[in-house]
């Protein structure tokens, strides 16, 4: 979900100059909310919240009408409804989002094979090689917006520029349902008046560090010596910001995108203090992460956890493994060790487990594989899940004290219930 609420959008004139451009960033407008309206047209023009309507649900997305009240993603639905009491909470089945995403991405691929999806509802397109077939980048973008609307009923916003970074900034500024073209020669003029927070990759902490020193606009970055940026942000980030503020971005559109991490998290209906119950939940999430890694043929080098307490304080911890893994048992062991290292003085509202720094799965087993037994069992479970559905087979320890017994020892011959 974008930061903006649609106010102050900037769009290009029909005759806008697109000289030197060739990169498009296409972003669907309030995608989840728009799919809900597509399925139920009576919701059009109303403030919508996409998220769980019961208990401890959080906002996944919201319509622009709801965003203008301050509703944001990851916000508890209860707080969102206090900000916007007239909002309607809806939650279409997830398969509708993936179905519509496939349709949209298919249209993108009709224009150019050089498509780099960033998420379910946005992508970069390199159209420099499509000019002879479809026209200039500006023409391609206008035709693409019209085709997406005609074939799916959804609207999108497109930024057209010479680089990925500027194209992404332009699409954000043009939302919703807009097109903003930044000719190569106009790049610095476009960037100068923007907030440092608009730079792709500048998070809240980096922005605060810059703003505390009076560097609030990109023009301020341009007027700041490079060594001063390095002192504020560190050498790597200082170099990156120095280049991006000048419109320098050598990144190409990559069609072979792979996930940088795989994770799952759970918000509880009621805050939980019991350690064993939390261990069980971490183990369950770890198994889901492992299954996804195996399905995508990746292994995680780093395991991280996220813990949110009853007062909304959120902590994260991570550790690098001696060997990458996709084994749920090993991921769960690491997650529980990280969790137990936290000084907990409050009940827990949310926990999450994530595998990071992914690498392609090893083609051959090593001579000594401590996880060999678990690999065989979890591989068999993957097959059972494919045949009978996820959840048909689970650990006995996840079924609760009355059925599952205690926690599994470190390296037993694993036992599962069907």
């Amino acid at each position: 979900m974008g930061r903006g609420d649609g106010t102050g959008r900037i769009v290009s004139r029909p005759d806008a100059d697109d000289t030197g451009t060739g990169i498009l960033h296409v972003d669907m407008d309030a995608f989840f909310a728009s799919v809900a309206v597509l399925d139920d047209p009576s919701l059009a023009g109303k403030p919508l919240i996409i998220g769980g309507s019961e208990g401890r649900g959080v906002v996944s997305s919201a319509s622009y009408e709801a965003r203008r009240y301050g509703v944001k993603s990851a916000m508890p639905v209860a707080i969102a409804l206090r900000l916007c009491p007239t909002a309607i909470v809806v939650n279409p089945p997830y398969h509708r989002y993936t179905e519509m995403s496939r349709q949209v991405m298919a249209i993108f691929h009709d224009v150019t094979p050089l498509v780099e999806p960033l998420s379910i509802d946005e992508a970069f397109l390199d159209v420099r090689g499509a000019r002879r077939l479809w026209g200039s980048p500006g023409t391609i973008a206008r035709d693409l917006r019209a085709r997406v609307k005609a074939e799916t009923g959804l609207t999108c916003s497109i930024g057209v520029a010479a680089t990925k970074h500027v194209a992404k900034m332009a699409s954000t500024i043009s939302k919703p349902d807009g097109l903003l073209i930044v000719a190569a020669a106009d790049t610095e003029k476009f960037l100068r008046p923007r907030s440092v927070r608009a730079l792709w990759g500048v998070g809240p902490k980096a922005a605060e560090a810059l703003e505390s020193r009076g560097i609030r606009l990109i023009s301020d970055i341009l007027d700041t010596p490079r060594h001063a940026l390095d002192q504020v942000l560190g050498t790597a980030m200082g170099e990156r910001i120095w280049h991006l503020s000048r419109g320098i971005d050598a990144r190409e559109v990559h069609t072979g995108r792979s996930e940088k991490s795989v994770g799952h998290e759970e918000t509880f209906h009621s805050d939980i203090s019991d350690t064993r119950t939390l261990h069980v939940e971490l183990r369950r999430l770890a198994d889901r992460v492992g299954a996804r890694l195996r399905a995508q043929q990746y292994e995680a080098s780093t395991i991280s956890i996220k813990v949110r307490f009853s007062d909304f304080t959120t902590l994260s911890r991570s550790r690098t493994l001696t060997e990458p893994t996709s084994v749920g048992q090993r991921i769960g062991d690491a997650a529980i060790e990280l969790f137990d290292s936290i000084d907990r003085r409050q009940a827990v509202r949310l926990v999450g487990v994530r595998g990071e720094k992914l690498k392609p799965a090893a083609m051959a087993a090593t001579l000594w594989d401590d996880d060999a037994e678990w690999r065989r069992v979890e591989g068999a479970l993957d097959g059972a899940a494919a045949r009978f559905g996820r959840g048909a087979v689970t650990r006995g320890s996840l079924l609760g004290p009355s059925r599952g017994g205690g926690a599994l020892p470190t390296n037993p011959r694993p036992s599962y219930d069907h």
Side-chain angles (χ1 to χ4, degrees):
M1 181 167 126
R3 295 177 183 175
D5 59 7
T7 57
R9 69 193 273 271
I10 302 173
V11 296
S12 293
R13 300 190 311 270
D15 61 346
D17 179 19
D18 62 1
T19 303
T21 65
I23 305 298
L24 276 56
H25 180 258
V26 189
D27 198 355
M28 304 305 295
D29 297 319
F31 181 60
F32 286 10
S34 296
V35 172
V37 172
L38 199 65
D39 291 346
D40 183 358
S42 69
L43 298 175
K46 297 178 181 178
L48 303 180
I49 293 172
I50 308 299
S53 58
E54 299 180 359
R56 313 298 288 275
V58 296
V59 177
S60 297
S61 183
S63 65
Y64 286 94
E65 292 81 2
R67 297 183 193 192
R68 290 173 188 137
Y69 286 86
V71 176
K72 299 179 181 179
S73 62
M75 174 183 288
V77 170
I79 293 177
L81 288 172
R82 286 202 290 271
L83 292 172
C84 185
T86 60
I88 301 170
V89 180
V90 293
N91 200 3
Y94 193 79
H95 73 81
R96 284 290 291 140
Y97 305 136
T98 56
E99 175 186 332
M100 296 308 300
S101 176
R102 280 195 295 269
Q103 290 185 38
V104 169
M105 295 296 170
I107 295 173
F108 296 169
H109 280 91
D110 281 349
V111 174
T112 174
L114 300 179
V115 177
E116 179 182 347
L118 292 182
S119 66
I120 195 172
D121 63 345
E122 64 176 318
F124 284 113
L125 282 68
D126 185 339
V127 299
R128 289 174 293 186
R131 295 170 184 261
R132 297 177 111 185
L133 190 60
W134 306 113
S136 72
T139 299
I140 292 173
R142 292 185 189 94
D143 292 345
L144 184 60
R145 292 183 63 244
R147 184 177 170 189
V148 168
K149 176 65 175 177
E151 295 187 18
T152 70
L154 302 173
T155 64
C156 65
S157 297
I158 302 181
V160 182
T163 66
K164 293 170 73 173
H165 173 243
V166 177
K168 185 170 175 65
M169 287 181 64
S171 70
T172 300
I173 292 170
S174 72
K175 294 180 76 69
D177 195 16
L179 168 63
L180 183 56
I181 300 171
V182 182
D186 296 333
T187 298
E188 184 174 327
K189 179 182 177 181
F190 168 78
L191 290 172
R192 271 191 168 274
R194 311 293 165 206
S195 166
V196 295
R197 294 176 181 266
L199 286 170
W200 186 19
V202 174
K205 289 185 178 179
E208 289 170 8
L210 291 168
E211 290 168 348
S212 69
R213 291 161 176 80
I215 305 172
R216 301 182 179 278
L217 303 177
I218 294 176
S219 59
D220 297 327
I221 297 177
L222 295 173
D223 296 335
T224 301
R226 169 65 192 282
H227 69 84
L229 290 176
D230 291 349
Q231 289 176 350
V232 175
L233 301 172
T235 303
M237 178 63 84
E239 179 181 15
R240 180 180 182 188
I241 296 308
W242 190 90
H243 282 96
L244 292 181
S245 66
R246 288 163 171 77
I248 301 170
D249 183 5
R251 290 172 294 184
E252 298 288 340
V253 171
H254 294 291
T255 58
R257 174 181 175 267
S258 62
E259 291 192 72
K260 295 180 180 179
S261 65
V262 168
H264 287 282
E265 60 184 44
E266 185 71 31
T267 300
F268 304 123
H269 288 288
S270 300
D271 297 336
I272 296 176
S273 298
D274 180 65
T275 298
R276 184 179 183 280
T277 300
L278 292 165
H279 282 183
V280 168
E281 182 62 21
L282 288 165
R283 187 70 72 183
R284 185 178 70 84
L285 294 173
D287 283 343
R288 293 179 66 187
V289 170
R292 280 185 59 190
L293 287 169
R294 293 190 297 276
Q296 298 175 32
Q297 297 186 332
Y298 279 102
E299 293 179 328
S301 301
T302 298
I303 304 302
S304 69
I305 65 167
K306 174 180 175 182
V307 181
R308 180 170 295 153
F309 297 102
S310 55
D311 66 350
F312 286 89
T313 299
T314 304
L315 300 177
S316 61
R317 297 287 187 272
S318 64
R319 59 168 288 200
T320 298
L321 304 174
T322 54
E323 295 289 341
T325 189
S326 61
V327 175
Q329 174 69 17
R330 196 59 61 210
I331 295 168
D333 290 345
I336 289 172
E337 287 179 16
L338 289 167
F339 180 78
D340 289 345
S341 71
I342 295 173
D343 181 16
R344 289 186 288 120
R345 300 183 181 181
Q346 297 184 54
V348 174
R349 175 186 177 87
L350 171 150
V351 292
V353 177
R354 182 168 293 276
E356 300 174 339
K357 296 183 180 178
L358 306 189
K359 298 179 179 180
M363 296 302 293
T366 58
L367 183 59
W368 291 282
D369 184 358
D370 292 337
D371 294 331
E373 189 70 25
W374 283 107
R375 290 183 196 279
R376 284 193 288 272
V377 171
E378 294 186 9
L381 293 179
D382 291 340
R387 187 175 179 188
F388 301 111
R390 183 68 60 189
V393 183
T394 189
R395 293 175 181 267
S397 60
L398 302 187
L399 298 176
S402 62
R403 291 184 61 188
L408 289 171
T410 304
N411 258 322
R413 181 175 295 273
S415 170
Y416 285 78
D417 288 351
H418 186 171

